[in-house]
Amino acid sequence: MSSIDPRHSIFPEWLRKALDGLYLAAGWLAGIFLIAIFLIMLSLSAGRPLGIDVPAGDDFTAWCMAATAFLGLAHTFRSAELIRMGLLIDRISGLPRKMIEIACTAIGAAAVSYFAWYAIEMTLFSWRFNDVSMGVIAVPLWIPQFGMSAGLTILAIAFVDELIHLLFGGAPRYEKPKAESPDEIIERVMESGV
């Protein structure tokens, strides 16, 4: 395995920009759905005292919440913000650590790809059979399911991207570099909300 600069990619620059743009766009979409949750919940709360009913507001909130959660995963993973348990692997270094990182990323890629495959299959099934929600407003179920399918697919792409990066000798991009000063440790703890 040859070592490459961890800041660079083995992919052509246009592909690297496209992949990073995809992860960022998914993160922005997750943010937009989060704002939609806020607006719907605000409408539900403000409408009750005024006697205004928002039809299927709870359903739309739940669907936006699912879209927010799944679409935000790839961006969170690539931004090194996904929760990671490093208790064991932080004590290992060198080639054994590299092999464990590759194995864990391969397992993660396989698991996420499996879930993405079945989420896509479920969405296509709902689309083919014209399944609709049972709420006040009949919404074709493939529409809210699409957020989950898209989010899992983008996360699977991010895992495969990272696996290829690791296989070609790159350093893991899903973990932040070690803090170099006590001030940096405090800053990271404050950012995490602990």
Side-chain angles (χ1 to χ4, degrees):
M1 281 195 252
S2 65
S3 182
I4 61 173
D5 186 345
R7 294 170 302 213
H8 293 89
S9 173
I10 60 155
F11 297 123
E13 187 176 339
W14 65 268
L15 182 56
R16 177 78 272 140
K17 284 183 180 180
L19 289 171
D20 290 342
L22 176 66
Y23 309 142
L24 183 61
W28 275 99
L29 273 174
I32 290 169
F33 278 108
L34 188 62
I35 292 169
I37 292 168
F38 167 73
L39 293 174
I40 295 168
M41 294 301 292
L42 186 64
S43 299
L44 288 168
S45 297
R48 280 191 190 108
L50 301 173
I52 300 170
D53 184 33
V54 179
D58 293 337
D59 292 341
F60 286 110
T61 301
W63 295 330
C64 287
M65 196 175 304
T68 297
F70 286 101
L71 287 169
L73 287 172
H75 180 66
T76 305
F77 174 67
R78 290 288 293 148
S79 300
E81 297 294 338
L82 204 61
I83 295 173
R84 178 184 146 104
M85 302 303 289
L87 189 61
L88 175 64
I89 200 164
D90 285 346
R91 300 181 188 280
I92 302 170
S93 61
L95 184 60
R97 180 179 179 136
K98 184 79 170 166
M99 300 312 289
I100 292 171
E101 294 279 5
I102 289 171
C104 289
T105 306
I107 291 167
V112 171
S113 297
Y114 174 81
F115 290 126
W117 175 268
Y118 282 100
I120 291 168
E121 188 176 330
M122 176 186 66
T123 304
L124 288 173
F125 182 85
S126 294
W127 179 68
R128 277 189 212 119
F129 291 99
N130 198 25
D131 284 345
V132 293
S133 65
M134 306 264 300
V136 176
I137 298 175
V139 175
L141 282 178
W142 70 267
I143 295 172
Q145 291 170 349
F146 185 77
M148 179 179 70
S149 300
L152 285 170
T153 301
I154 296 168
L155 181 61
I157 292 168
F159 262 94
V160 170
D161 175 14
E162 189 64 24
L163 179 60
I164 292 169
H165 178 75
L166 290 173
L167 288 170
F168 279 87
R173 296 175 292 190
Y174 50 77
E175 67 178 0
K176 291 184 178 182
K178 299 252 187 254
E180 295 182 10
S181 70
D183 291 337
E184 192 174 347
I185 293 170
I186 292 169
E187 183 178 326
R188 286 189 186 178
V189 168
M190 290 173 55
E191 285 177 1
S192 71
V194 175

